Amino acid sequence: MKPDFSRFGRHVLEIEKEAIEGLYQHLGDDFDRACQQLFDCKGKVIVTGMGKSGHIGKKMAATLASTGTPAFFVHPGEASHGDLGMITEQDVVVALSNSGETQEVTTLLPVLKRMGVPLIAMTGKPGSTLARLADVHLNVAVAKEACPLNLAPTASTTAALAMGDAVAVALLNARGFTADDFALSHPGGSLGKRLLLRIEDVMHSGDGVPVVTEDYLLKDALLEMTQKGLGMTAVVDKDGKLAGLFTDGDLRRVLDAGKDVRTAVISEVMTRGGITVNPQMLAAEALHLMEERKINGLFVVDGNHKPVGALNTQDLMRAGVL
């Protein structure tokens, strides 16, 4: 008989959902004390744990670090062989162990106590050695594991992961951490690109900007558009200020109207005014504007309304903003 994998999977998810729901009763004074201790930390948050708890600890440290709380993970086994030197009196240690009796972790306790380093424990056993000796204990106990043998860490690691996220996000809110702050620690990711890139970083500038004057013949303006390859050209007045623009869409309308592209003057067929942006605007804002107005390109102007750049959706796509 074919195994009913979906039924097994739903059973696991149901147990893990119950494990997370069970954490609500543990969010009280101890949670507030733990968050306050981390919020007040003058050094770094050191997260440690062994085995599956260690994997959860690494994720917790990474989440803290990326949301405004400097943190890193220290393997408890390595800590006993020199890495304890990474920990200072200014730091706070967060130790994860479902049993609260993991030898590699409890071995560190006398040294941490001697150093006077604040200790936050995250265990499923409030009466365990680690829980009793910690300054603050976060209870992540679960009724049972999702493993049918009740052995493999499953629901317990899910609960610890969720509690770690709750701590990190609570601190994020307390610090007033913003999307811009987040982007600074993620400059290589798509979010960083969306939040940090400005128009001046992606626009065409200098000779790459298609520009003609109002007295240009349309056929010559089309040559400028072809050479610059942006599907549009800026049209400037005698002072060099943007008077309007001409796009591929305008060309279709000219042809539909039966005008002679060889003799028409650009000032007669251009779109006057037009939507413009400044070089300091975020590229993500430009993308939103283009999507909202259903346009494919923008001209960038300086404080005197003179065109200094141009960009289109392809430029934003290449930059990873789109």
Side-chain angles (χ1 to χ4, degrees):
M1 182 181 295
K2 182 181 177 181
D4 191 346
F5 294 116
S6 295
R7 182 174 64 84
F8 296 150
R10 284 192 291 271
H11 180 66
V12 169
L13 294 179
E14 187 64 31
I15 292 175
E16 300 208 352
K17 182 184 75 171
E18 292 173 359
I20 294 177
E21 289 175 345
L23 295 179
Y24 281 87
Q25 62 184 312
H26 303 312
L27 290 185
D29 292 341
D30 286 338
F31 183 82
D32 290 343
R33 288 172 56 210
C35 289
Q36 189 65 54
Q37 206 159 50
L38 294 170
F39 186 80
D40 294 337
C41 178
K42 303 302 182 185
K44 289 182 171 58
V45 177
I46 314 300
V47 186
T48 190
M50 194 71 188
K52 303 297 188 295
S53 292
H55 295 310
I56 300 301
K58 289 177 183 177
K59 194 274 180 185
M60 182 178 181
T63 301
L64 286 167
S66 68
T67 53
T69 301
F72 62 89
F73 179 82
V74 172
H75 190 285
E78 298 295 336
S80 295
H81 295 275
D83 282 2
L84 267 175
M86 298 179 180
I87 304 174
T88 72
E89 296 177 359
Q90 301 295 313
D91 300 329
V92 175
V93 172
V94 179
L96 285 72
S97 168
N98 187 47
S99 69
E101 302 293 347
T102 305
Q103 183 178 357
E104 291 86 349
V105 175
T106 57
T107 298
L108 306 178
L109 300 183
V111 180
L112 296 176
K113 288 296 180 181
R114 183 175 178 179
M115 293 173 63
V117 177
L119 174 64
I120 298 170
M122 192 182 297
T123 83
K125 303 290 189 296
S128 64
T129 300
L130 181 57
R132 288 186 291 103
L133 294 179
D135 296 286
V136 184
H137 176 241
L138 294 177
N139 189 348
V140 290
V142 298
K144 59 182 177 180
E145 297 288 4
C147 165
L149 303 176
N150 200 34
L151 294 174
T154 45
S156 60
T157 49
T158 298
L161 180 67
M163 183 65 82
D165 286 345
V167 169
V169 175
L171 290 169
L172 177 155
N173 282 298
R175 296 186 194 284
F177 197 77
T178 67
D180 285 345
D181 295 324
F182 189 86
L184 288 173
S185 60
H186 296 76
S190 60
L191 178 63
K193 288 181 179 179
R194 289 180 64 86
L195 293 176
L196 294 178
L197 274 181
R198 300 192 180 276
I199 288 177
E200 63 184 355
D201 299 319
V202 297
M203 71 182 190
H204 298 263
S205 59
D207 292 337
V209 183
V211 178
V212 298
T213 57
E214 291 181 289
D215 58 354
Y216 257 58
L217 290 175
L218 176 54
K219 65 182 182 68
D220 295 326
L222 292 177
L223 181 60
E224 174 75 357
M225 289 171 61
T226 301
Q227 290 176 337
K228 302 300 170 64
L230 294 178
M232 61 183 183
T233 183
V235 183
V236 297
D237 61 19
K238 58 183 178 58
D239 296 319
K241 296 182 178 181
L242 187 70
L245 65 153
F246 189 85
T247 69
D248 288 338
D250 292 319
L251 176 59
R252 286 191 291 272
R253 285 185 284 274
V254 166
L255 295 175
D256 288 341
K259 289 185 178 293
D260 189 341
V261 297
R262 295 168 299 176
T263 59
V265 179
I266 192 69
S267 61
E268 300 171 350
V269 294
M270 71 181 187
T271 297
R272 291 209 168 265
I275 302 166
T276 61
V277 293
N278 67 76
Q280 293 300 310
M281 180 184 284
L282 291 173
E285 291 182 275
L287 173 61
H288 175 72
L289 180 62
M290 292 162 74
E291 290 176 335
E292 187 177 56
R293 299 299 183 91
K294 294 181 172 56
I295 56 178
N296 294 318
L298 287 168
F299 280 103
V300 188
V301 297
D302 62 14
N304 295 316
H305 207 63
K306 294 181 178 181
V308 294
L311 74 159
N312 59 20
T313 51
Q314 291 182 346
D315 297 318
L316 296 174
M317 186 179 298
R318 282 191 291 269
V321 179
L322 185 57

